[in-house]
Amino acid sequence: VGTTVPKNNYPPMKVLNEAELQKFMAVIKADEIWSDFFYTELTTGLRKGEALALTYNDIDHENDVIHVTKSVYHESTKPKIKKPKTEKGFREVPILYPLKPYLPNKKSNLYIFSGDGGKSPLWSGEYNTLWKHFRMSSGIKCSAHQLRHSFATMLFECDVDPKDAQDILGHAQLSTTMDIYTHIRESRRKSV
């Protein structure tokens, strides 16, 4: 009583276009504050919480993979750790060659992206401040989740099989990956 069912009128999925990718890379190369974090998000497709939860031990330089085993969520701005919601959330994400120099090569249970020397992941306010600074530096107006969709677009453009993309992205259902791929195809068709 007194409530309405929300409509599924989501805004169109935005991915970085070529000009935005060039701006993004210029900021990364200028070694702006925390650019390695945002570059990691773009080149791995990790969810924000998964990237924030990375420890040095999660980076496997020998096998060129990132072990995704946990995620950060914020409770009253304080970071908390949780396991992935589904079995597909536990995965190995390939480290692309251009990302390797941005990922530290050391062994430790400390968090890589931390404001306190690695003892805990970033608090939500710290993350929001860094993201705002990065967006202002790059001039790109997008969300962290849109970096994930941009990575999915890169997978599509490189003809990565949807089942392989599902594994890399950690989607529980292949239909989720296919929905993204279908959206990309439709967007391409319209632009052509």
Side-chain angles (χ1 to χ4, degrees):
V1 177
T3 61
T4 57
V5 177
K7 296 178 182 173
N8 289 339
N9 291 336
Y10 301 111
M13 177 179 59
K14 180 187 183 329
V15 297
L16 300 182
N17 61 36
E18 191 61 37
E20 289 170 324
L21 277 172
Q22 287 177 1
K23 283 183 189 176
F24 187 94
M25 291 311 299
V27 172
I28 296 295
K29 288 177 181 170
D31 198 26
E32 283 289 327
I33 213 165
W34 289 86
S35 59
D36 50 350
F37 176 79
F38 303 115
Y39 191 52
T40 299
E41 281 190 301
L42 177 68
T43 58
T44 61
L46 293 177
R47 295 170 180 95
K48 177 177 83 172
E50 293 169 340
L52 286 172
L54 289 177
T55 65
Y56 293 100
N57 287 340
D58 294 324
I59 309 302
D60 183 347
H61 282 278
E62 189 174 310
N63 296 301
D64 288 333
V65 295
I66 296 170
H67 301 282
V68 180
T69 61
K70 59 196 168 304
S71 183
V72 168
Y73 70 98
H74 290 94
E75 193 174 275
S76 300
T77 74
K78 186 176 180 181
K80 303 281 187 176
I81 300 294
K82 65 179 180 176
K83 291 183 178 180
K85 290 189 283 188
T86 67
E87 277 304 307
K88 287 286 189 182
F90 291 92
R91 64 196 190 280
E92 291 181 345
V93 174
I95 299 173
L96 302 178
Y97 178 75
L99 177 61
K100 284 187 80 148
Y102 294 90
L103 294 175
N105 191 1
K106 64 180 183 178
K107 297 295 176 198
S108 169
N109 282 326
L110 294 175
Y111 293 96
I112 297 171
F113 305 114
S114 173
D116 64 3
K119 295 178 209 151
S120 69
L122 287 176
W123 288 53
S124 63
E126 293 172 314
Y127 174 84
N128 292 336
T129 299
L130 292 169
W131 181 241
K132 181 180 177 183
H133 172 80
F134 187 82
R135 284 179 50 178
M136 289 174 62
S137 297
S138 67
I140 298 170
K141 306 298 180 212
C142 74
S143 70
H145 196 70
Q146 288 166 332
L147 295 178
R148 179 170 161 80
H149 283 288
S150 295
F151 178 74
T153 301
M154 291 178 216
L155 295 177
F156 173 79
E157 290 173 344
C158 291
D159 294 323
V160 172
D161 183 85
K163 189 72 176 152
D164 294 328
Q166 175 193 7
D167 289 340
I168 293 169
L169 293 166
H171 290 147
Q173 303 294 321
L174 179 60
S175 60
T176 304
T177 309
M178 291 307 297
D179 287 347
I180 293 170
Y181 269 36
T182 300
H183 176 83
I184 294 166
R185 262 190 227 101
E186 288 171 0
S187 296
R188 298 275 181 232
R189 189 179 314 121
K190 286 178 186 175
S191 68
V192 167

